[in-house]
Amino acid sequence: GVRDIALLDKGYLGAGASGRNTAILRSNYRTPEGVAFYNASLKLYEELSSALGWNVLFSQCGHLTLGHSDSAVAGLRVRAETNQLMGVDSRIIDPDEIATLVPHLDCSDRPRYPIMAGLYHPPGGIIRHDAVVWGYARACDRMGIEIHPHTEVTAIQTSGRGSGRT
């Protein structure tokens, strides 16, 4: 029943944090809380283009984290075990499989930091954050929400029932 909604943005749409975040989407984190949160987020992003009726340019091309030392590989193993216990598709792969996934990557023992193993997360991928912002803006417009870019909020006054202020 709420009507007359306006979205105010100090700059242009996407000029703030939403336009500057990373393009990587993944859920292969180390803590159970992080894994659960980011896995739920990843599942939302999988459906976002359909929900918004707008291509957010999400590509589930997989995510690969490389380990160049014994301690790094041990950390990747902990992440992989946590992910698997939480039902997230993530596993340790060896340099041969890495070379198959990324043929142009030097997986030999010649580099200064040779690749010892990797944590491969097939559902991970990349997204265009600007496409997400514009998808939400389009959805707002379709709902009749007025969008006002270059409009800074300088104060908020509330009144009426439930506001606690007048």
Side-chain angles (χ1 to χ4, degrees):
V2 176
R3 306 244 186 255
D4 297 323
I5 299 172
L7 183 149
L8 308 177
D9 197 317
K10 181 179 177 180
Y12 59 88
L13 291 178
S18 58
R20 308 270 184 298
N21 60 24
T22 182
I24 298 170
L25 292 176
R26 64 186 180 94
S27 59
N28 64 340
Y29 286 81
R30 188 172 179 141
T31 66
E33 298 83 7
V35 171
F37 177 81
Y38 288 105
N39 198 47
S41 297
L42 186 61
K43 290 186 184 319
L44 290 172
Y45 276 109
E46 288 173 346
E47 305 298 324
L48 191 57
S49 286
S50 177
L52 294 175
W54 181 268
N55 186 357
V56 296
L57 303 171
F58 180 33
S59 173
Q60 281 186 293
C61 53
H63 182 268
L64 180 63
T65 306
L66 302 176
H68 300 281
S69 67
D70 290 335
S71 62
V73 173
L76 296 179
R77 288 191 191 289
V78 170
R79 280 176 50 192
E81 290 170 8
T82 301
N83 298 166
Q84 290 165 4
L85 287 171
M86 304 275 309
V88 171
D89 184 4
S90 182
R91 68 184 191 282
I92 297 294
I93 60 175
D94 63 25
D96 290 337
E97 190 172 352
I98 294 168
T100 300
L101 283 172
V102 190
H104 296 292
L105 188 60
D106 185 354
C107 291
S108 72
D109 58 2
R110 291 185 310 269
R112 180 172 181 177
Y113 301 105
I115 297 167
M116 297 175 65
L119 178 63
Y120 182 48
H121 177 49
I126 56 173
I127 195 164
R128 288 290 305 267
H129 50 326
D130 53 338
V132 173
V133 170
W134 283 101
Y136 275 115
R138 182 173 184 238
C140 287
D141 183 65
R142 286 181 167 174
M143 292 187 293
I145 296 171
E146 291 183 21
I147 300 173
H148 300 273
H150 304 288
T151 306
E152 182 176 2
V153 176
T154 58
I156 297 176
Q157 293 180 332
T158 60
S159 63
R161 185 177 54 173
S163 69
R165 297 175 57 191
T166 56

